Amino acid sequence: MSKKVISVQRFNPETDKKPYMQEYQIDTNDFHGTMLLDALEHIKTMDQTLTFRRSCGEGVCGSDGVNINGKNGLACITDLRKLPKTIKVRPLPAFPIVRDLVVDMEQFYSHYESVEPYLQNDDEPATERIQSIDERAKLDGLYECILCACCTTSCPSFWWNPDKFLGPAALLWAYRFVADSRDTATEKRLDQLEDLFKLFRCRTIMNCADVCPKGLNPTQAIGHLRDEMIDRAI
Amino acid sequence: MDMVKSITSFSSNGLRDWLLQRITAVILGVFFLVVLGFFVANPNPTYQCWYALFDCNAMKLLTIFALLSMVMHGWIGLWIVLTDYVKPKGLRLVLQIAIILTLIALLVWGIQILWG
């Protein structure tokens, strides 16, 4: 570990007509930590105008999703030692840029909201809603999503129809509640996804599973949703 | 978000379009495997040999299924391509109509060849 060149996409809507790349020379011995986020924070001590989101700094909150050398990921858990000498950092694609690496995620959240990502069950349980170990196991690989948007913004179907296709993250969450033995709104949830775009614009190219920093597989969740739809329609 | 309505898609239902695209792909696959098998068995087919293949009712039926599958598969698939890549609505509609008419023309032409 020593010297790296970090090229960051900059954009200030008040002064810049379009985004441009700015290079920073860094020495990894000059700061603590080994992750890309540590390097960005080090750059910020040199150039305080650089803007990016961060919160937990350990891959739990999903704030610092960025495009690293062409592939989406979380800056806080991307090891600098595994990156080449020159690193290009851009904001997540397909979203409007607010400033530098900060993007407007309104569309992403409105798709997430549209799948009603909360447990729905009108029956009042006497005590708790009991699940068997097998029923609970079905939620593994689904509940861990941190809504960083790395998957959705790496999906060409979302790039071409961001207003109509819900994207892998929202669909993963839709399946998380369809798969939940305590949820009784499955029929409604599946009805809402049966149009031409919301789910079916997925072409199964698996960019989402390739980039997910939590190792989840939205493509598989989408496949399970399709199976549920076919199962009740045939 | 409301359901997206489309009057130029094949079935207006995402699930039905998706399933039809898979079923028609299998039918087209079977058709081309049969034709490929014919060429393997007859590396230099004569006109009579080719005529005899399509003269049998099973092959006529399979060909009709393949032609119908081509129409559905092409309509569904190219509709998806156009709604992805062609954003101006007027141009998209013209291309959609052109594709649908072309597919139907190919179907009619194929039926004419088989029973003409």
Side-chain angles (χ1 to χ4, degrees), chain A residues 109-157:
Chain A
Y109 292 131
S110 86
H111 284 330
Y112 173 59
E113 186 185 8
S114 78
V115 302
E116 303 182 10
Y118 38 86
L119 195 81
Q120 296 182 34
N121 188 333
D122 292 335
D123 291 335
E124 279 292 321
T127 53
E128 298 148 326
R129 299 187 203 277
I130 306 295
Q131 276 190 310
S132 70
I133 289 170
D134 286 344
E135 285 169 343
R136 171 60 188 78
K138 284 184 180 170
L139 307 183
D140 289 338
L142 301 171
Y143 78 93
E144 300 95 326
C145 172
I146 55 173
L147 295 169
C148 64
C150 285
C151 61
T152 296
T153 55
S154 69
C155 174
S157 289

